[in-house]
């Protein structure tokens, strides 16, 4: 019992490379923080496959094992310029391209019979405020898309909302830009350096652990 | 009773102008179809205020009056280039700017205690397919934002899901670009002509009345 | 002889379709004005091949034949949202993709030994001002690219600057968006209706014939 | 004489902050390389005012003093995501906003009576190739705009082309993105870390010193 209370666990997940990429910035960033102590908490970084279904199985296994109090899943959003905490996960898989196992579900629920959507339980506004104050370009995003990222995000939030062992735990999802070396292959694409991404993750974990009730700060979008 | 069955009602709503605009393309487009007969159905076009709360009151009144079998609410999305049926309405008001009455809610629910989100019950994939076939640039959108447009969309879907008189009725929301004369004031902004917008609305209504089960066609987004 | 002076000639050119396109908005728009009388002037619309070299040969032939006082060449700029008069033609061919005859020159001059660039002799600021006043989204562009459009533009300006028969004649180039039916095949792409394009061309010709000295109105870009 | 040949001089210039910015990435990046030895060459970094006219006076003074064999001027391009060597400088000042001294020239030449444009004499294609190979997002740009950046670029190229002491010297201009801390204030804006910018400058100087004849590699734009 004292052991458990001695160091709460924070789980960060990153995805394996997707499509023709050789690396995935989400995994490069989170693995840099594996073992990091944020206050009393210890960060564990884990790799998740970019495959519908398998991603959730992997998440379930690692949550069973680690019993984290905070889970932040990270995914690549090629084309975005900012570090973007997602506001909402939606109960649909709609793949524009096949995943890493060739699966391409179209308009089927992530979890049949479950709610249409879940809001992130991260303090997304406070996180964005702290990121900007720390010099990191960041915005709240209102759509995590409908591919494996949203799939994992939805699965995470559904487990946090319904699994007995998850009581009191919080979590969410963040989309991040390409690394510069990836963007160098896509003329015009924005990027963010690994150093900035890792700084941003530190700020995120620190803020998520400290802020219980999100700030009421404007971060909405007209459309 | 026979009179009622003789001509089902379709309700199209458009918004009043917003910010410094002198017109709103959503109202210009829908009012052009007021009285249009689409098969047996008759289209009614109504103006809605760009005000949190008031927009829903107006919608309630007109739905009580008209008892429509199909409701399509339209809103302006300055900066978008396409006709974009929205997939999902979310239960949050988060205004980046004040509405037309100076109200600026931040992170409060549209309907307290109601579900986190509702999916559109329009066949959005079939509509996009028909629009493209008809020469109209169109895509499914996965976020209607968090301003009055999403507010109205959420209120509509909540009423359709819960109001006794709405049984069997369907509805959704579509964001549309600026008109050319509006975009002429914002260098770089895309636009769509009124003629194209009205054509697109006709295709939308026709498809929504004809297609009961949406097509499983890819229309997702990676993020 | 008096007959000739009675009606000055305006030449509008449009390109044949390019890549997998079935039509080119530049030709669709200019051919709608073939034979149009703008004041005393008569508009002639001609098709130009989307081929390095051949495009200039075609232009030379039609200018020899028509002896126009005003030449406006039009080209498609997929991805642009506005009607964009070009400020400057540069003396380089640098093809990112092959032209319609498979030619792909890289970093060679349009006209060896000729000046590095020519400014348009159209009153581009006055044209943009009149277009916006007429409800057409428009901006001055500072780069016509380095493909066949810039090639034709440069060849035109070089001929206007050096050919004996061109004394006093003026000309320039305008890039225009996709038509809606084209953009319907490229999710996210902006477009402009044929009706708006034709209106814009009328305003352009009228303004170019009326304004001898361009207005000093801001239209620059920071970068 | 031996002293002169012992270490050729490379001049890098950066601008002072512009508008409400507190810093300018161009100066932050170049000053990090002041004194750097690239092979036999020595890099000198100098600050240039963001003022029409004064920028060229400052450039003239430092070139008189240093007699550089290579000059690379750097400027901020807020909104761009890449490191972008400019292909061409054009002989026009057209300020969308006032400069740091309140000057706002509109459609006047940088140097009256001088050529319409100059091409960069940097090997821009080779530089972009080496940057991408080195993991830096980069593209050739075909327009440096019409503000103080293009003004300085044009003045530089005019001096290199006409000043007796500049024989054999080469030069050009590069636009760079915001730093992350700047972009954090403009939601949606792309950025590049100082570390990446400094790496990119090293690659640029090294390549410019090594490559006398640019590679014929596609880098053009359709429009």
């Amino acid at each position: 019992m004292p052991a458990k209370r001695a160091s709460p666990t924070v789980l960060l997940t990153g995805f394996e490379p997707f499509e023709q990429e050789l690396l995935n910035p989400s995994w490069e960033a989170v693995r840099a923080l594996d073992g990091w102590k944020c206050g009393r908490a210890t960060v564990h970084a884990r790799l998740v496959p970019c495959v519908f279904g398998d991603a959730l199985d992997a998440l379930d296994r690692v949550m069973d094992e680690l019993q984290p109090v905070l889970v932040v899943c990270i995914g690549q959003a090629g084309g975005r310029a900012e570090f973007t905490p997602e506001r909402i996960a939606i109960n649909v898989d709609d793949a524009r391209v096949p995943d890493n196992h060739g699966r391409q579900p179209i308009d089927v629920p992530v979890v049949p019979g479950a709610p249409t959507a879940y809001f992130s339980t991260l303090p997304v506004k406070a996180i964005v405020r702290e990121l900007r104050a720390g010099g990191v370009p960041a915005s709240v995003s209102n759509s995590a898309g409908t591919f494996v990222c949203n799939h994992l995000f939805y699965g995470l939030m559904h487990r946090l909302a319904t699994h007995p062992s998850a009581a009191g735990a919080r979590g969410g999802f963040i989309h991040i830009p390409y690394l510069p070396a990836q963007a160098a292959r896509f003329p015009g694409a924005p990027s963010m350096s690994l150093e900035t991404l890792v700084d941003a993750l530190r700020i995120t974990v620190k803020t998520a652990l400290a802020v219980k009730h999100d700030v009421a700060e404007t971060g909405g979008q007209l459309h």
Side-chain angles (χ1 to χ4, degrees), chain A:
Chain A
M1 209 137 76
K4 191 181 177 182
R5 304 180 68 184
S7 182
T9 292
V10 172
L11 170 62
L12 300 183
T13 72
F15 278 105
E16 61 183 15
F18 167 62
E19 285 193 307
Q20 284 103 34
E21 297 297 322
L22 298 176
L23 47 74
N24 191 312
S26 63
W27 175 238
E28 300 306 314
V30 305
R31 72 175 181 164
L33 290 178
D34 190 45
W36 178 52
K37 297 268 183 187
C38 181
R40 291 196 312 115
T42 304
V43 167
H44 293 249
R46 294 297 173 93
L47 184 67
V48 168
C50 188
V51 177
F52 287 100
D54 294 6
L56 291 187
D57 293 343
L59 182 70
D60 275 335
R61 280 193 303 271
V62 68
M63 289 183 71
D64 286 344
E65 171 201 340
L66 296 175
Q67 301 292 328
V69 297
L70 176 68
V71 184
V72 187
C73 298
I74 314 293
Q76 163 187 307
R80 287 199 194 170
E82 303 178 293
F83 194 88
T84 46
E86 297 289 347
R87 188 196 291 260
I88 191 163
I90 69 178
N91 193 10
V92 70
D93 291 333
D94 184 7
R96 193 168 57 73
V97 294
D99 68 17
N100 280 359
H101 277 198
R103 295 172 191 162
Q104 190 174 6
I106 295 183
D107 291 346
V108 296
V110 180
V111 180
T116 300
Y118 287 105
F119 286 119
S120 173
T121 49
L122 299 179
V124 293
K125 297 290 184 72
I127 289 170
V128 166
R129 186 181 61 181
E130 294 306 310
L131 287 166
R132 290 178 179 173
V136 179
S139 289
V140 172
S141 165
N142 292 306
S143 173
T146 59
F147 196 59
V148 184
C149 287
N150 173 73
H151 178 83
L152 179 65
F153 181 18
Y154 185 89
L156 166 66
M157 300 317 299
H158 185 63
R159 181 178 163 122
L160 289 175
T162 61
H163 199 282
S165 76
R170 295 189 299 162
F173 193 95
I174 298 175
H175 266 121
I176 63 175
Y178 284 137
L179 290 169
Q182 293 179 285
R185 293 170 42 219
F186 302 104
S191 60
M192 191 169 275
S193 74
L194 185 57
E195 191 177 45
T196 301
L197 290 171
V198 173
D199 281 351
L201 281 180
R202 285 183 204 269
I203 293 170
T204 299
V205 170
K206 206 168 164 182
T207 306
L209 289 172
V211 177
K212 295 303 173 200
H213 299 286
D214 201 2
V215 295
E217 217 162 83
T218 177
Q221 283 184 290
L222 295 185
H223 52 78

